[in-house]
Amino acid sequence: MKDDSELQPIQQFISALVPFDSLSDSSLVRCCQQLTIGYYSKTSKVVPLDESHPQLYIVRSGAFEVRDEQGELLDRLGEGDYFGFPSLLSGEKVSNQVQILEDSLVYHLDPDTFNYLRNESRVFDRFFNRAFAKRMRHQARFKAKDLTTTNRVNSLMSVDPLTIDCHASVSDAAKKMRLARVSSVLVIDNHKLIGILTDRDLRNRVLAEGFDGNLAVHQAMTTNPKRLSANALVFEAMLLMSEHGIHHLPIMAETPIDDNTEAPAVGMLTSTDILRGQSSQPLLLIGEIERQQDIDSLINVSKQIPVLLQNLISADARAEEVGRVLTSVTDALTRRLIILNQQILGAAPMAFCWLAFGSQGRQDQAACSDQDNGLLLAHEPDEHAKGYFNALSHAVCEGLDKCGYIYCPGDIMAQNPKWRLSLDKWQRHFESWLNAPEPKALMHASIFFDMRAVYGPQNLFEQLQNHVLERTKDNDIFLAGMAGNSLVESPPLGFFRKFVLERDGSEVKGMDLKHKGVALINDIARVYALSAGITEVNTPKRIRALMDANIINRKDALNLADAHEFIAHMRLANQGEQYTSQQDVTNYLKPQQMSSLIRHQLRDAFKVVHDAQSGLRMKFMRSY
Amino acid sequence: MNELWLKARLYYEIFGQSDLLSEYQQAYLSVINKPITSAPLMAIDLEMTGLDPQQDQIISIGIVPIEPSLMPLSIPLAKAQQIMINIDGSVGQSAAVHGIVDHHLSSALTLSQAMEWFVEKTKGHILVAHHAPMDIGFLQSHLYKTNGRAIKLPFIDTLALEKQRLLRQHDVLKEGSLRLDACRQRYGLPTYSGHDALTDALACAELFVAQVNSIGDINTLSAAEFISI
């Protein structure tokens, strides 16, 4: 007798689900045969979870909501989602409530079969343990490949750099260098890096000047050399070298938050090291930008920027690094435009900084960025200076527009006299935001708090930034206003339910990964950073600094950084696909483009954002 | 009222008989007055060579139980089964519909083996089918062939339940609106691509569970209220 009881539709459905897709055929058949089907009518409101009979609930159709004991929404579930696994794994009593939103068909998997499958497949076991731990670890599977161009400095540098005391003689230094067969030595005074001595210094400052080998090292060295941290990108190092015409960069351990103790030097990077690591496209592009002698050819070169973005996306670079690479190109372009225009207009009548705000400030530019910039002047300009900076800023903004960085719709640009201010006026402008934190005024002001100097003396910029951070730090009323603004939007957890209901996919606009995703995390990081006076503006760096300063606990910080990277990565990947299929590049991810796994991971990421928003509310808005 | 009538019909049938089939019918007496949430039910579907119970033959039978286990009206797939029946001649025309070809039937049961299997598996279970009178008619005719006696079988028809419900809502019955898939869609149940007896029996079982749930408080409903004979 033939018992032909293979239930095709059930197997088809189950075998397409992560992590059931990892099971062997025989395990899958066994699993499907052990299922019990149940129907939950929305009139009965709540799923009766029986503690003595834990089950894995697999949603076949319909929709549910998981709430905790306080009634707080934890999750919305639809077709292909699971619930009930926490008590299956932990054996603990059920504390969450599962509400029935739509009439639903559910497959129940018994504990014995569930455990059998966990033993059979590590992927299966890991999936539920991971979901249980609520720790989003998309990295393992979605670990972005490292590009040559997104390599870190520490992958190319030589470690344990040669050092010498500043009072030693140059002849001792030369012997040490010969022994180690290197072309430079770091000069140390009292454990502090104070200079660098190179082959060239020995030639130009010792021999050519007629000194002998007894000259003290500190008299021949280059003082206060340019330096980089070990996790800087290789091309940032190359940029620094080409800008300053140097060939040696001391590499420091990651800078500690505390400014009083300097991080020790951990390595040395030379231009030869970089050559060995091969030149690559972003570097070539930046090099090309720096070589251009007129604005038209600069515009021509900038046409390569979209191609560069596509290359980075197709190489699956980390979103954080794509943002930094693209922003570096924008920075180089801006600087080149300033320099070329100064060749036309003459030298500036006073020191000034070109400020970048918003995404350029945060170093997370992507496709179709607009301009957000301003000009910081060392002091109040006279009529002549006003005329000069008016001409310069108009020329640079126009150049950027022609290079593909369209004019800011909100007119936050250096060519607008409103955003071309002296240090004193900028400081007072920020004070007006700080002292009267009307939510609406602040909403528009938030991008100014993500500022960075792209051109000009760093100490001028720091005078502004420090002035602002001193006043935002522990400023409860202001921070409550900022926190309030960043809670206006919430992550689209409800989308996952809608997605289920509109399963035909008709007329679904998609999920806004920018405004309901990365932007929310940017907002959260900004409020915390301002509250602690942290100078970083890049969101992942802000989160790291907040974690190091124990302002956000390690677990939450890592979760938030992961969620930021994941959502940003999805956004870039989606834009890459839109670009290749010649659609408009948008921030919207269509549900058809989501695999079951990506849906799970995106939802996990959005849950992290939701939790972080709750944390923000708790910390900054308690008394308001 | 319905309950008394059902019992009377069954008593009348069984009276004076003492064979396999009367035992089978006897088993119904104790289940038809149970609440629907605790009555053992069996969704069935048959694939046939045609539509005439007298002329055409059953090719396969799928059975899917509905019973209280995890929750009232659970469907344990471990007990879902399907058999194939050896027929006289070829499957002919209906092969196109069911996707069954003759070689599928080589591992099949003889008709009397199949009927014996059916009686054993469904004993004490109220049969549930979509457009049930057709399936019941075939079963009765085949039981007559193997046991020499046609018997009354109490059954629940999901199509008739749906028709009543739509008419109560004053819906105009459009053509095709009572087909199994169309009915399932109204309850948000997924569309199944397969159409073998087992899949259709499962589809019918799920539909019935959804129908009962839509009526209201399922704990107050008696099985007899759903049964025809």
Side-chain angles (χ1 to χ4, degrees), chain A residues 35-52:
Chain A
L35 295 173
T36 301
I37 302 177
Y39 185 87
Y40 294 92
S41 163
K42 82 181 153 194
T43 54
S44 48
K45 292 195 175 68
V46 178
V47 177
L49 295 169
D50 184 351
E51 282 166 24
S52 53

Side-chain angles (χ1 to χ4, degrees), chain A residues 600-614:
Chain A
H600 274 286
Q601 286 175 325
L602 259 183
R603 208 192 37 228
D604 284 353
F606 285 125
K607 259 188 292 177
V608 169
V609 180
H610 172 82
D611 292 348
Q613 283 194 332
S614 310

Side-chain angles (χ1 to χ4, degrees), chain A residues 1-7 9-10 12 32-33 35-41 43 55 60-61 103 105 107-108, chain B residues 70-71 74-78 80-82 84 107 109 117 187-190 192-193 198-199 202 206 209-210 213:
Chain A
M1 164 174 149
K2 189 187 175 196
D3 180 19
D4 185 13
S5 50
E6 280 191 15
L7 281 155
I10 309 255
Q12 263 168 27
C32 291
Q33 283 175 344
L35 295 173
T36 301
I37 302 177
Y39 185 87
Y40 294 92
S41 163
T43 54
Q55 300 280 330
R60 178 61 181 87
S61 66
D103 294 339
L105 196 66
Y107 300 158
H108 305 84
Chain B
L70 267 182
M71 54 197 292
S74 292
I75 303 170
L77 295 182
Q81 280 182 303
Q82 169 168 266
M84 300 290 178
S107 63
L109 307 182
W117 172 85
Y187 296 90
L189 296 169
Y192 292 153
S193 52
L198 188 62
T199 302
L202 174 67
E206 290 173 352
V209 176
N213 270 288

Side-chain angles (χ1 to χ4, degrees), chain A residues 226-426:
Chain A
K226 295 283 164 200
R227 59 197 80 182
L228 264 183
S229 91
N231 78 333
L233 302 175
V234 169
F235 83 95
E236 285 176 317
M238 197 163 175
L239 214 55
L240 205 59
M241 288 182 180
S242 75
E243 264 174 29
H244 297 278
I246 52 176
H247 302 278
H248 299 83
L249 273 181
I251 304 301
M252 321 301 284
E254 287 215 54
T255 326
I257 299 282
D258 185 357
D259 284 333
N260 298 326
T261 59
E262 207 206 19
V266 292
M268 172 66 84
L269 187 74
T270 68
S271 48
T272 326
D273 294 333
I274 293 180
L275 269 180
R276 251 193 297 122
Q278 285 187 338
S279 57
S280 42
Q281 214 200 346
L283 299 176
L284 292 176
L285 185 54
I286 287 167
E288 236 181 296
I289 285 170
E290 272 160 11
R291 274 197 308 277
Q292 300 312 311
Q293 292 304 324
D294 59 74
I295 290 154
D296 285 341
S297 47
L298 207 52
I299 292 166
N300 204 26
V301 169
S302 69
K303 288 182 184 143
Q304 296 175 36
I305 296 172
V307 182
L308 168 66
L309 173 62
Q310 290 313 312
N311 286 346
L312 290 167
I313 291 173
S314 59
D316 208 18
R318 282 177 61 80
E320 183 189 343
E321 290 175 3
V322 174
R324 282 167 79 180
V325 169
L326 280 183
T327 308
S328 295
V329 173
T330 313
D331 289 358
L333 203 60
T334 310
R335 277 195 290 269
R336 194 66 197 154
L337 280 166
I338 293 169
I339 290 165
L340 286 177
N341 281 295
Q342 279 190 313
Q343 285 171 3
I344 299 165
L345 295 167
M350 69 178 83
F352 71 96
C353 284
W354 185 274
L355 302 177
F357 304 114
S359 62
Q360 193 187 357
R362 284 191 308 270
Q363 298 180 284
D364 62 9
Q365 283 189 311
C368 52
S369 297
D370 56 5
Q371 297 184 36
D372 289 309
N373 49 45
L375 216 55
L376 166 62
L377 308 178
H379 48 80
E380 202 55 43
D382 56 19
E383 283 310 311
H384 164 71
K386 274 186 186 167
Y388 176 89
F389 287 117
N390 184 44
L392 178 69
S393 57
H394 270 92
V396 174
C397 289
E398 192 194 339
L400 284 171
D401 181 65
K402 286 183 176 162
C403 288
Y405 300 89
I406 54 165
Y407 287 125
C408 170
D411 211 12
I412 299 171
M413 284 184 290
Q415 66 177 23
N416 180 351
K418 207 178 160 193
W419 308 121
R420 200 163 65 224
L421 304 173
S422 66
L423 174 63
D424 184 53
K425 288 234 170 99
W426 268 115

Side-chain angles (χ1 to χ4, degrees), chain B residues 166-167 169-175 177 186:
Chain B
L166 290 180
L167 290 175
Q169 293 171 350
H170 308 290
D171 263 3
V172 183
L173 295 179
K174 287 198 207 84
E175 199 185 323
S177 65
R186 281 191 284 275

Side-chain angles (χ1 to χ4, degrees), chain B residues 18 88 91 105:
Chain B
S18 62
D88 307 328
V91 283
L105 304 177

